[in-house]
Amino acid sequence: MIGLVLVSHSRALATALSQLVLQMTGPDFPVVVAAGVGDDHQEIGTDAVHIAEVLQPFCEGDGAVVLMDLGSAVLSAQTALELLDAEGITGAADKIRLCAAPIVEAAIAAAVQAKAGASLDAVVSEAKGALAAKAAQLGDDAPAPSAGPDGAAAADEAGLTLDLVIENPHGLHARPAATLVQTAARFQADIRLRNLSNGRGPAPARSMTGIGLLQIRKGDAVRFEVSGTDAGTAVATLRELADARFGEAADGSEPGTPAPVMTPTPVGGTGTPPVAISEGIAIGRPLPLASLEVDLRDGPTATPAEERARLTEALRQASDGIGTSHIGSGAATDILAAQALILSDPAVIEAVETRILRDGQSALAAWRGETQALADAYGAMEDDYLRARAADLRDLSNRVCRILAGVTAPQTLAPEPPAILLVDELLPGDAMAADPRHVLGILARSGSPTAHAAIIARSRGIPMVVSARDWTAAAEAETVALDGATGEVWIDPDDDARLLIAGRQRDHLARLQVFDSTKHLPATTLDGVTIAVFANVGNATDAAAATENGAEGVGLLRTEFVYLGRQSVPTEDEQVAALDAVFAPLGPGPLVVRTPDIGADKPLAFLPQPPEHNPFLGIRGVRLSFRHPDFFASNLRAILRAGTGRDLRIMVPMVTSPDEMEQARALAQAAHRTLEAQGIPHVWPVSLGMMVEVPSAALMVEQFSRSADFFSIGTNDLTQYILAAERGNADLDDLQDPVHPAVLQTIAGICAGARTAGRHVGVCGDAASDPLAAALLIGCGVQSLSARANRVGAIKAMVRRTSAAVLQRLAEEARRCDTAAQVRHLVRESLDARGGVI
Amino acid sequence: MDHLTPALARSWILSTARLIEQNAQHLSDLDAAIGDGDHGANMSRGFQAVAKKLEGDAKADDLGALFKVTGMTLLSTVGGASGPLYGGFFLDLGKQCASRAALDAKDLADVLDSGLADIQRRGKAQPGDKTMVDALAPAIAAMRAAGDDIVTATRAAADAARNAATATAPLLARKGRASYLGERSIGHEDPGANSVALLLDALASATGA
């Protein structure tokens, strides 16, 4: 499909126009913005190098029509084509067409044609004719629109005036003028200004050109004339803006980032800095979630036998409720499935029943007493991973209590008007109930990025920060803002901060939109290296999301969903049916299915394991599979059957030594022979690869290359094992970062070994969803990335804006750093200079 | 002194950055009269970025690399039409100088002529359109007329550019935003011609220092 590239002086203009276009075409049309200048492209102007970067993927694809506003936009677009040509990018001359038609009309007309599959010539021709409809509507001799009344406020509205002296060293030049324009645009009121010192004006305060023509210099007296509904607020805001020198520091330099408000550490809180949990910017009223702690009234206590029957029934309902829950991502449903196990835990049930039968407690009181005590006990544990599970227990406890009290659990948390939720600790159930349209963001007093609720918040796109020190102040504030990427929190932000937040919000949304509009294009670097971008899938919802979000296949299909939450071993047919349901929404791309990674934090009810002191170093993944050979054989047969007619590959988790791969291969061959003997259709032969997450596997790539057809790096576990830092331990988060030099060194080693042996290396861990980390992975030699479905667009956009040669040098430098923090700093410095690569 | 060496060329670029910075407000004032008022701010942003780049990049130690870095940086940082025009100009200089260690006065005039042609090709401007061309063309002519001594030649070029920039005032703008003003553009000097005058002034002071 022919794409559309919008080149404008103003990023806002081009972004807004791309929205108009997408309204016409639907979300999967390749319309891309190349606009603005400066580090984050927020300043007015055009950047030929940036335009070339945006155009490059289209040169290798179906081509694009470029529409420009005027002046330098045209010159820069022409220059961009020359740059591409000079770099030897073929296709620039044939596949990219600069079109002189008026940008708005032409964008709509061209997009509709392109979406219909028209040729480049046809799209250009349609664009050129785009003005005809408007000309016809207005008549050929329609008079040019007359200029509006010269600044006079409407007579029936009381106009306000504000006189002040400009103190900016260079007067109201581009940057402060832009700040003024942005501020003026927030108000309904008509705002005009005059330069009283030279008699120029009035000019509309929303016009850069208008303000420029007033030639406002340092020391000039300026009069704002404001009229309209919110004139009073506008005047107050303008006064504050002028006091703040229109966002410019006294020496005329760019304003620094306003420091986030630092509030005193609350009693009982911790002094640890805020933790960024889930990316996104939110601003709104704070709403404490204490209201969720419903006052559960207990009815009169019946006989112990009746109370015990009520408990049994409530547990059954809770379990069913979890079983039928389909909201959220794969991660979320896995979490619920694991919770369901607790509902059938005989030790818990026995203890609750004892309270009912022996102590005469009601079912509700007994359940609540027992589970809360259990949660408290977990909360006090030394082991951080177990401590984090206390939230799961409280969540589950609430679920059952609500059923016993006859209170319907809120299916959705949807505050009106929308708000920022303040929670003590976010519970998984609340995270799943939160409606992203109404829950703008979440500020929690405690929690860690690896907690289940955090994973769910990320998968649902709700910005979230954990900050004990801001929490108390936030509860008493009128407005709270947070940046889930940096962990910053603002309490009652002032206008400067609001401007900054609004800017980031705009930038964030614009970026999401670019990701969205280009997600189906291939991810090829500027120097021509194509990286395959796949999605991770854990259930049917994920599978549909993968296809929608432009994933070229599935780099990791987790099969645990087939087994978690089940009380008995599923038959082979049941397994095939469950896999079929998840495969159904997938496109024709590669599909890498991982055999069950059970154990550690994902125990199975029907494969009881003896307690392990350190389950992450215990019987998990393929180690568990080998201990249950019949079960493993049925898994392999089910996967082969479900893969009939697909480009399916099998991947084995937690492999530590080469003989395990040989054993797995023998079992896969046995599964094939069994199916063949029975005449059951299945896919064969299949590629058999392995996860690289155990250090021994990373160090023995050469040996493994004899038995594994491909490698996929699980960065989460690899990081935890290389750095000896447990994933759930919030106190070790500096050692949980996959961009740690030691991890990068390991990954580079894996890639080098695999290249020699001719084996493909991909990454399916969380690092593949983080553009900064993903950039380094490519630099280390990784050939494919499998990300969360909703990050595919972001990862592809990153790849397209950079070059593999640059990333290789950057990764080499990163491996020489001392810490993960240094690596992140290095990459930001280096890639930010290239204009928002990450 | 009879050659423009890489060291002198570097000093030319850095000196241009200083002059542009000192005159940014003046350039913007000129532009505000007949355009969008951003020429000084744009040029200043671009040349400051160039200066920063050169200070951190000792590798640009031959003429070709030096001009190329300058051109690429201007392309991506200036923002206005002067981005592609000045950027393309320096990229062209970079191409011309690709394998040359230094330029004598005649070489320099040839190279600048080629750069001028690039500006004209890109901007489609003719002499008399009230643009950069109106300062650059007479400057190169004066440079050729001044003979083989590079100090004299560049000084002659700088003086010619200055006079020519002033002489753009009575012209009617036919290119860029200023052309929207039509007759009202008459009576104001062209900001682009003025920044060219600064560029050549910097060249003269670099070679004459």
Side-chain angles (χ1 to χ4, degrees):
Chain A
M1 194 187 300
I2 306 292
L4 194 57
V5 176
L6 304 175
V7 176
S8 168
H9 283 65
S10 153
R11 189 160 193 88
L13 189 153
T15 305
L17 181 54
S18 73
Q19 284 166 351
L20 284 181
V21 166
L22 292 173
Q23 269 189 332
M24 297 294 294
T25 60
D28 55 352
F29 179 73
V31 51
V32 194
V33 167
V37 73
D39 285 348
D40 51 3
H41 299 286
Q42 294 298 333
E43 289 181 60
I44 298 284
T46 56
D47 172 348
V49 176
H50 176 52
I51 298 169
E53 286 173 351
V54 168
L55 286 177
Q56 202 247 347
F58 289 101
C59 298
E60 283 144 24
D62 295 339
V65 173
V66 182
L67 297 169
M68 301 138 284
D69 56 14
L70 73 174
S72 76
V74 182
L75 287 178
S76 292
Q78 288 178 311
T79 307
L81 283 186
E82 289 175 19
L83 290 176
L84 288 171
D85 201 45
E87 280 183 34
I89 308 285
T90 52
D94 306 335
K95 292 188 179 171
I96 306 295
R97 210 70 72 75
L98 308 187
C99 177
I103 186 165
V104 177
E105 290 83 355
I108 305 298
V112 172
Q113 279 297 308
K115 173 80 178 178
S119 69
L120 187 57
D121 284 336
V123 175
V124 170
S125 150
E126 185 72 12
K128 283 184 177 162
L131 204 51
K134 198 167 164 185
Q137 170 76 24
L138 296 174
D140 276 342
D141 55 352
S146 60
D150 212 17
D156 57 341
E157 281 176 306
L160 297 176
T161 60
L162 170 68
D163 289 354
L164 34 88
V165 174
I166 299 301
E167 291 175 0
N168 294 60
H170 303 297
L172 280 193
H173 67 98
R175 288 189 298 264
T179 309
L180 170 58
V181 170
Q182 285 166 8
T183 308
R186 290 181 4 223
F187 295 96
Q188 300 286 323
D190 181 62
I191 305 173
R192 282 160 190 272
L193 71 164
R194 296 173 186 271
N195 186 341
L196 300 177
S197 299
N198 65 10
R200 287 173 185 255
R206 293 186 194 191
S207 158
M208 275 299 280
T209 333
I211 297 171
L213 288 171
L214 299 184
Q215 294 187 38
I216 300 169
R217 301 175 202 216
K218 184 178 182 185
D220 280 0
V222 169
R223 169 169 295 167
F224 286 94
E225 297 165 348
V226 186
S227 60
T229 48
D230 50 4
T233 333
V235 166
T237 305
L238 289 171
R239 190 192 308 274
E240 286 170 28
L241 191 63
D243 286 347
R245 293 177 192 260
F246 298 90
E248 194 175 49
D251 59 359
S253 67
E254 288 288 321
T257 305
V261 176
M262 298 299 173
T263 52
T265 307
V267 179
T270 70
T272 52
V275 185
I277 299 285
S278 172
E279 193 184 65
I281 318 282
I283 178 163
R285 69 185 179 110
L287 178 71
L289 195 59
S291 52
L292 237 212
E293 302 278 318
V294 197
D295 181 22
L296 299 173
R297 300 238 176 110
D298 210 352
T301 306
T303 66
E306 284 165 343
E307 289 292 333
R308 186 168 72 165
R310 288 188 63 211
L311 174 73
T312 310
E313 173 60 15
L315 293 177
R316 192 189 59 74
Q317 280 184 28
S319 187
D320 287 355
I322 288 169
T324 57
S325 173
H326 291 299
I327 7 169
S329 72
T333 38
D334 284 358
I335 291 160
L336 286 183
Q339 279 194 0
L341 285 180
I342 302 171
L343 291 172
S344 56
D345 186 320
V348 177
I349 294 172
E350 195 179 316
V352 177
E353 286 181 346
T354 305
R355 286 174 181 244
I356 295 171
L357 300 175
R358 193 192 63 200
D359 306 340
Q361 291 184 0
S362 71
L364 194 157
W367 170 260
R368 182 158 55 189
E370 188 59 34
T371 52
Q372 297 293 358
L374 196 59
D376 289 347
Y378 268 83
M381 281 189 184
E382 293 269 315
D383 183 315
D384 287 283
Y385 179 79
L386 294 174
R387 205 157 60 215
R389 303 284 82 80
D392 292 348
L393 267 170
R394 292 206 174 86
D395 198 26
L396 193 65
S397 173
N398 287 348
R399 225 174 253 278
V400 177
C401 285
R402 287 197 202 100
I403 294 170
L404 284 169
V407 175
T408 321
Q411 283 301 306
T412 53
L413 267 175
E416 189 57 50
I420 290 181
L421 284 191
L422 302 185
V423 298
D424 213 34
E425 179 179 20
L426 186 66
L427 302 181
D430 294 341
M432 289 186 67
D435 178 344
R437 286 165 305 182
H438 293 265
V439 176
L440 304 170
I442 297 169
L443 178 62
R445 197 203 291 264
S446 65
S448 101
T450 50
H452 286 154
I455 294 167
I456 297 172
R458 278 196 291 276
S459 72
R460 312 202 71 205
I462 302 177
M464 176 172 169
V465 171
V466 167
S467 176
R469 68 179 180 208
D470 292 313
W471 205 88
T472 311
E476 288 159 12
E478 279 183 18
T479 305
V480 172
L482 55 88
D483 183 337
T486 62
E488 284 164 286
V489 176
W490 294 265
I491 307 296
D492 287 326
D494 59 16
D495 286 322
D496 279 356
R498 278 174 185 269
L499 270 179
L500 174 95
I501 294 158
R504 285 198 202 171
Q505 215 162 13
R506 217 174 26 242
D507 201 28
H508 182 67
L509 291 176
R511 220 167 12 193
L512 288 183
Q513 219 218 318
V514 170
F515 298 162
D516 195 52
S517 60
T518 57
K519 64 194 178 189
H520 291 292
L521 300 174
T524 304
T525 61
L526 295 175
D527 51 355
V529 176
T530 298
I531 303 294
V533 183
F534 303 127
N536 294 343
V537 166
N539 60 25
T541 316
D542 288 352
T547 309
E548 278 164 25
N549 283 289
E552 292 153 8
V554 175
L556 167 61
L557 190 128
R558 303 184 174 95
T559 52
E560 291 79 45
F561 73 94
V562 180
Y563 313 103
L564 288 173
R566 292 190 64 110
Q567 302 302 312
S568 58
V569 187
T571 64
E572 185 180 314
D573 286 345
E574 283 172 336
Q575 296 179 50
V576 174
L579 291 172
D580 274 344
V582 170
F583 290 1
L586 295 173
L591 168 58
V592 180
V593 179
R594 186 177 68 185
T595 61
D597 187 11
I598 309 276
D601 56 339
K602 289 173 280 194
L604 277 192
F606 55 86
L607 290 183
Q609 287 182 261
E612 293 177 310
H613 184 66
N614 196 335
F616 279 106
L617 300 181
I619 310 295
R620 60 171 293 206
V622 78
R623 300 174 182 176
L624 184 78
S625 295
F626 286 149
R627 281 166 174 74
H628 301 275
D630 293 344
F631 176 59
F632 191 36
S634 79
N635 304 154
L636 290 168
R637 287 193 302 270
I639 292 169
L640 292 177
R641 286 173 58 186
T644 309
R646 290 188 174 271
D647 181 6
L648 178 136
R649 299 117 196 242
I650 295 180
M651 178 161 75
V652 184
M654 202 62 193
V655 177
T656 316
S657 67
D659 59 324
E660 289 171 324
M661 274 314 285
E662 279 152 25
Q663 196 179 344
R665 187 172 292 279
L667 289 173
Q669 274 159 352
H672 155 62
R673 280 195 302 273
T674 306
L675 292 171
E676 199 177 32
Q678 295 170 351
I680 298 174
H682 62 285
V683 57
W684 194 265
V686 294
S687 246
L688 184 73
M690 60 182 275
M691 297 277 292
V692 182
E693 47 200 338
V694 180
S696 66
L699 294 168
M700 295 168 70
V701 166
E702 193 188 329
Q703 292 93 317
F704 276 108
S705 292
R706 290 195 287 269
S707 49
D709 296 327
F710 62 89
F711 299 105
S712 182
I713 302 173
T715 45
N716 302 4
D717 276 324
L718 183 63
T719 305
Q720 120 166 317
Y721 293 136
I722 292 273
L723 299 178
E726 204 243 273
R727 278 160 72 173
N729 190 331
D731 287 342
L732 292 175
D733 52 8
D734 55 330
L735 294 179
Q736 287 156 351
D737 192 335
V739 305
H740 190 285
V743 181
L744 294 178
Q745 184 67 38
T746 308
I747 291 173
I750 297 168
C751 293
R755 200 179 308 120
T756 311
R759 294 284 182 266
H760 179 99
V761 180
V763 168
C764 62
D766 271 351
S769 300
D770 168 7
L772 188 153
L776 291 168
L777 294 174
I778 295 169
C780 287
V782 166
Q783 295 156 289
S784 66
L785 297 167
S786 191
R788 289 197 298 277
N790 62 3
R791 300 297 291 161
V792 167
I795 296 298
K796 284 185 161 186
M798 177 279 290
V799 172
R800 279 197 291 267
R801 284 171 165 223
T802 184
S803 79
V806 167
L807 294 183
Q808 191 185 341
R809 282 195 299 276
L810 190 61
E812 279 165 16
E813 208 178 327
R815 301 208 294 277
R816 290 194 295 269
C817 289
D818 288 346
T819 63
Q822 278 177 16
V823 171
R824 286 198 177 265
H825 181 72
L826 168 77
V827 179
R828 281 201 192 93
E829 289 273 296
S830 165
L831 293 188
D832 273 0
R834 298 177 59 84
V837 170
I838 48 170
Chain B
M1 173 81 60
D2 50 6
H3 281 84
L4 183 73
T5 60
L8 289 181
R10 176 182 281 263
S11 139
W12 170 28
I13 307 293
L14 293 176
S15 167
T16 304
R18 270 194 304 277
L19 278 182
I20 294 276
E21 186 67 6
Q22 284 159 11
N23 291 280
Q25 187 62 45
H26 177 59
L27 291 176
S28 281
D29 289 348
L30 290 174
D31 194 29
I34 59 170
D36 47 5
D38 62 2
H39 186 60
N42 286 350
M43 290 292 286
S44 163
R45 175 171 59 214
F47 270 95
Q48 288 308 306
V50 170
K52 202 172 154 199
K53 196 104 180 184
L54 290 183
E55 277 155 18
D57 184 5
K59 274 178 293 193
D61 56 359
D62 66 273
L63 290 174
L66 177 77
F67 291 142
K68 186 176 179 196
V69 165
T70 305
M72 286 302 285
T73 309
L74 291 176
L75 278 185
S76 68
T77 53
V78 169
S82 19
L85 293 173
Y86 274 101
F89 171 79
F90 277 106
L91 284 186
D92 187 77
L93 261 55
K95 254 183 258 162
Q96 302 297 318
C97 298
S99 53
R100 292 154 82 166
L103 302 174
D104 65 18
K106 182 179 175 305
D107 293 339
L108 180 58
D110 289 346
V111 162
L112 292 177
D113 238 342
S114 168
L116 169 64
D118 186 84
I119 290 177
Q120 286 194 269
R121 178 180 65 81
R122 213 176 283 274
K124 312 259 183 325
Q126 296 302 317
D129 283 351
K130 194 168 182 143
T131 68
M132 298 163 66
V133 172
D134 292 317
L136 192 50
I140 298 170
M143 183 180 277
R144 288 194 192 284
D148 293 341
D149 178 59
I150 203 158
V151 179
T152 323
T154 52
R155 180 41 61 198
D159 293 344
R162 167 54 49 214
N163 291 333
T166 313
T168 57
L171 297 176
L172 173 70
R174 292 205 182 84
K175 289 286 161 193
R177 294 267 177 112
S179 65
Y180 295 161
L181 292 178
E183 300 283 331
R184 280 172 292 162
S185 67
I186 293 177
H188 300 278
E189 287 179 30
D190 178 58
N194 270 274
S195 55
V196 166
L198 294 175
L199 177 78
L200 290 168
D201 200 15
L203 177 59
S205 41
T207 56

